[in-house]
């Protein structure tokens, strides 16, 4: 019996169960707080940019601009899925842009 003694005292198994629940949920509280913190920014960004996908919008809100831009700009084939060539061309384009931004030494 997890509760033990007609519910008046908690058994040792009940204590271990509560400990596991606390060990699992305590770190997740930070994740849930981040979700509450970023949701208004995410919803505002989605309203401003309805053409963005949900994932690219989330990347932009979280500060991963390069990844968000790559996700929103990637080409799609006729089935609507990205191809392996899209990932390679996106990386090559980013490298070229970085080269152009570097000052000559």
């Amino acid at each position: 019996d997890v509760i033990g003694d007609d519910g008046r005292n908690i058994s040792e198994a009940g204590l271990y169960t509560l400990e596991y629940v606390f060990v699992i949920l305590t770190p997740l509280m930070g994740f849930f707080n981040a979700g509450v913190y970023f949701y208004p920014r995410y919803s505002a960004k989605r309203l401003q940019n309805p053409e963005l996908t949900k994932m690219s919008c989330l990347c932009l809100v979280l500060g991963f601009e390069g990844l968000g831009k790559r996700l929103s700009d990637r080409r799609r084939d006729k089935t609507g899925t990205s191809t392996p060539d899209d990932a390679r061309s996106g990386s090559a384009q980013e490298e070229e842009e970085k080269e152009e931004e570097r000052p000559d030494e």
Side-chain angles (χ1 to χ4, degrees):
D1 191 42
V2 175
I3 301 297
D5 296 341
D6 300 326
R8 287 176 278 161
N9 296 321
I10 192 162
S11 68
E12 191 171 335
L15 287 175
Y16 285 124
T17 303
L18 284 175
E19 187 173 345
Y20 281 118
V21 168
F22 286 131
V23 166
I24 292 170
L25 291 181
T26 301
L28 286 176
M29 285 174 33
F31 176 76
F32 295 135
N33 284 336
V36 169
Y37 178 76
F38 285 113
Y39 182 74
R41 294 177 185 198
Y42 171 79
S43 60
K45 183 69 82 173
R46 287 281 292 163
L47 289 174
Q48 292 172 356
N49 303 302
E51 73 280 355
L52 291 178
T53 63
K54 292 178 183 177
M55 184 58 78
S56 61
C57 184
L58 180 64
C59 290
L60 289 173
V61 168
L62 294 177
F64 303 120
E65 285 87 8
L67 180 61
K69 186 174 188 307
R70 191 174 344 156
L71 286 173
S72 64
D73 291 344
R74 70 180 172 189
R75 295 177 314 205
R76 296 182 178 272
D77 62 6
K78 292 180 183 177
T79 61
T81 58
S82 63
T83 62
D85 294 331
D86 295 340
R88 283 193 287 276
S89 66
S91 297
Q93 289 172 354
E94 284 182 3
E95 289 299 322
E96 290 174 7
E97 290 173 3
K98 288 180 183 176
E99 287 292 328
E100 291 173 1
E101 292 176 1
R102 291 185 188 146
D104 293 332
E105 294 178 14

